[in-house]
Amino acid sequence: MIDNGYRMEIARSVLKVVEPYEGSAFMAAPDMVASCWHVCVAEGADPEAAHPVVFWYYPTGEQAPVALRGDLLPDQSDEEHDLAVVRVRLPAGVAIPPARMSPDDEAGYPVIAMGFPDQQSELEEVDGVIFPHHPVKRMRFEGDVTAREVLRIDTRAVGFYRDRDVPSGMSGGPLVNKATQTVVAVVMGKKPRGLQPHSPPDGYAISLRHLVNCSPKLSPYVRPATVHGSMVEVLVETANQPGMRGPVVDWVIRQMATPDSHHRHWCYIVLGSIGGEAAEIVVSRGLFDEDELARMGAARAWELLGH
């Protein structure tokens, strides 16, 4: 049972694909679903045609799934990057909130893959970490590998398991950045058989940057994450990982270009909790921030820095 606040919120947006294949998906807009091409388009089907897709939605606290039907939008999907965008028709009385999405998919951040394994009606989570971008060419491998097990051009390589494999059926589900508490990629699948089986990355996901490129209508829903109190612990833990202090501090500083004083308040506290020269310079300037709430955050951060 997923009972953590932001994870529960995102979990409510996840759907199970049941036709044409089993897989996962998530609400990316009030009437649009994001998933994978290999989940939503039958083998051999005309890639230019609209394809029907059937989902099951599991309302919180109810056992029986609600059947949802939709049609693939070929002009907003991308077979090459394994992305599918489906316009869905919600029955009367059913409202599914879109997942919070952001482009924050930098390497080193902790992530959770969400989805429905084959033959299961309960949502699962698999933990991992984002590996560096892998701009690999489309290729096929020798041996026991099908056409579906192909690396795509410019997919973002994401390792999202530690001690167990990614269950079949989770393709198309959201990849959640635990630090920013937002969906940052679409789970594509585990490493193809026969490709360096003992080296990372162990699975792949497609960055939302590609989703926005092929479906501009989703662009308004992919926004930079805002920093708030519940994110402090995970951001600090991430910064404490080898080689991550600089990237996390840089990311927090970039988020501060906003008039939102509440947001800046927590940015200062994160920087004070992480420490380092760059963080200290920004916090010292924050002591003179024009907004009182932001100044309070900077003052607290200054204390955390030992002043």
Side-chain angles (χ1 to χ4, degrees), residues 123-145:
L123 190 68
E124 281 201 22
E125 294 183 340
V126 180
D127 290 310
V129 65
I130 298 178
F131 279 79
H133 189 122
H134 283 240
V136 295
K137 296 294 184 181
R138 185 180 177 94
M139 61 185 73
R140 296 180 185 274
F141 300 98
E142 299 296 329
D144 185 18
V145 179

Side-chain angles (χ1 to χ4, degrees), residues 68-138:
L68 308 176
R69 298 183 181 277
D71 294 299
L72 179 87
L73 300 175
D75 61 334
Q76 297 186 59
S77 301
D78 186 347
E79 181 181 11
E80 187 67 26
H81 290 95
D82 202 15
L83 287 170
V85 176
V86 178
R87 188 175 302 282
V88 68
R89 298 178 292 279
L90 298 180
V94 175
I96 307 175
R100 285 189 297 150
M101 302 184 292
S102 81
D104 303 302
D105 57 4
E106 288 83 358
Y109 281 86
V111 290
I112 307 167
M114 291 184 176
F116 290 95
D118 288 348
Q119 308 298 318
Q120 291 190 30
S121 60
E122 187 166 337
L123 190 68
E124 281 201 22
E125 294 183 340
V126 180
D127 290 310
V129 65
I130 298 178
F131 279 79
H133 189 122
H134 283 240
V136 295
K137 296 294 184 181
R138 185 180 177 94

Side-chain angles (χ1 to χ4, degrees), residues 155-219:
T155 55
R156 178 165 294 277
V158 182
F160 43 75
Y161 76 84
R162 292 177 181 169
D163 58 356
R164 65 189 180 100
D165 210 343
V166 179
S168 177
M170 293 184 72
S171 293
L175 191 79
V176 182
N177 185 325
K178 294 169 69 175
T180 62
Q181 302 181 359
T182 54
V183 175
V184 298
V186 181
V187 175
M188 186 174 86
K190 56 190 175 184
K191 177 184 296 182
R193 295 188 299 274
L195 177 67
Q196 299 175 318
H198 301 298
S199 62
D202 300 296
Y204 293 90
I206 309 101
S207 169
L208 292 190
R209 301 170 197 271
H210 292 307
L211 181 65
V212 169
N213 286 341
C214 71
S215 183
K217 290 184 178 179
L218 293 178
S219 181

Side-chain angles (χ1 to χ4, degrees), residues 240-256:
N240 287 333
Q241 299 301 312
M244 286 302 295
R245 178 187 294 243
V248 174
V249 167
D250 290 345
W251 180 84
V252 174
I253 292 174
R254 291 199 303 271
Q255 308 315 304
M256 298 184 72

